Amino acid sequence: MFPQPIKKFIDLFSTLPSIGPRQATRLAFHLIALGKGSTAEFAQAIADLQKLKTCPLCFFIHAQIGNECHICNNPQRRKDVIMIVEKETDLMSLEKVKRYQGRYFIVGDLKKNSAFDTEQKLRINTLKAYIKNHLDNQAEEIILAINPTTHGDLHTSLIAQELAGVSKKITRLLIDYSPMQ
């Protein structure tokens, strides 16, 4: 029914979070209506995503020269205080507040089952190796900033168990939703 380029676009974009086949179809026709210049600009923006790198210390996506992201590479930040978050968007939300001056660590998208996938296990081992090699076997504090849901609580508990002994203090970041007085 659709020309092959539109069908391929729909097939690919409908795999993205919150975009199903109907939304992908709308996006395809919207981009076509914008014209070839805009389509080329979108295509370039997508192609530019390939230039991004993952920081080997915190797993944040960046475009910096060198391997480390601007946060891990910042000498003003405390290296011995590490906040563990689930996703890049969590890190970005916390950075907007501009109050935290430690490092971050992105554990990866936590699934609803009660186990870490292979990538997450490797990331946690990377964090433990960093603490061992750069912080004399112990961080000052590890802050767990995982969403306070049933699954988040379970994963927070598993991460705390996994990192027991490699930090002087393990704390949990909780958000108070009570109305301000």
Side-chain angles (χ1 to χ4, degrees):
M1 179 160 144
F2 294 118
Q4 186 57 33
I6 293 176
K7 184 171 178 0
K8 183 167 182 157
F9 180 94
I10 293 167
D11 290 344
L12 288 172
F13 275 73
S14 63
T15 64
L16 296 174
S18 302
I19 298 180
R22 288 180 67 194
Q23 184 67 24
T25 303
R26 286 187 199 105
L27 288 171
F29 284 107
H30 180 76
L31 289 171
I32 292 166
L34 289 175
K36 291 186 181 195
S38 292
T39 305
E41 197 173 342
F42 275 97
Q44 186 61 52
I46 290 171
D48 287 345
L49 292 175
Q50 293 178 338
K51 297 175 185 174
L52 298 174
K53 300 182 266 185
T54 302
C55 178
L57 299 177
C58 71
F59 297 97
F60 189 51
I61 305 298
H62 68 95
Q64 303 292 339
I65 296 172
N67 286 332
E68 295 178 12
C69 69
H70 70 283
I71 296 170
C72 289
N73 206 19
N74 185 341
Q76 308 280 314
R77 290 194 174 253
R78 290 189 62 179
K79 306 281 186 210
D80 61 343
V81 177
I82 303 163
M83 185 178 298
I84 297 177
V85 297
E86 183 179 355
K87 299 177 267 192
E88 293 84 353
T89 52
D90 299 329
L91 182 155
M92 292 165 41
S93 294
L94 289 161
E95 270 301 284
K96 282 182 186 175
V97 179
K98 297 183 183 202
R99 299 190 91 188
Y100 176 68
Q101 290 303 309
R103 283 192 51 221
Y104 292 95
F105 180 82
I106 300 169
V107 73
D109 194 18
L110 298 170
K111 305 297 182 227
K112 300 244 185 252
N113 65 12
S114 61
F116 297 120
D117 63 24
T118 306
E119 177 71 21
Q120 290 164 331
K121 289 177 186 174
L122 289 171
R123 286 183 178 197
I124 290 170
N125 287 335
T126 299
L127 177 59
K128 290 198 281 192
Y130 172 82
I131 291 169
K132 179 182 178 188
N133 297 326
H134 294 83
L135 302 177
D136 294 327
N137 290 319
Q138 202 161 53
E140 185 64 34
E141 181 178 12
I142 292 176
I143 304 164
L144 301 171
I146 307 296
N147 284 333
T149 62
T150 304
H151 297 291
D153 292 345
L154 176 62
H155 281 97
T156 297
S157 198
L158 292 172
I159 293 168
Q161 288 173 12
E162 197 64 41
L163 298 176
V166 299
S167 182
K168 293 178 185 174
K169 184 164 70 168
I170 296 178
T171 56
R172 175 95 189 255
L173 181 67
L174 292 176
I175 298 170
D176 182 5
Y177 292 108
S178 61
M180 295 174 61
Q181 302 287 327

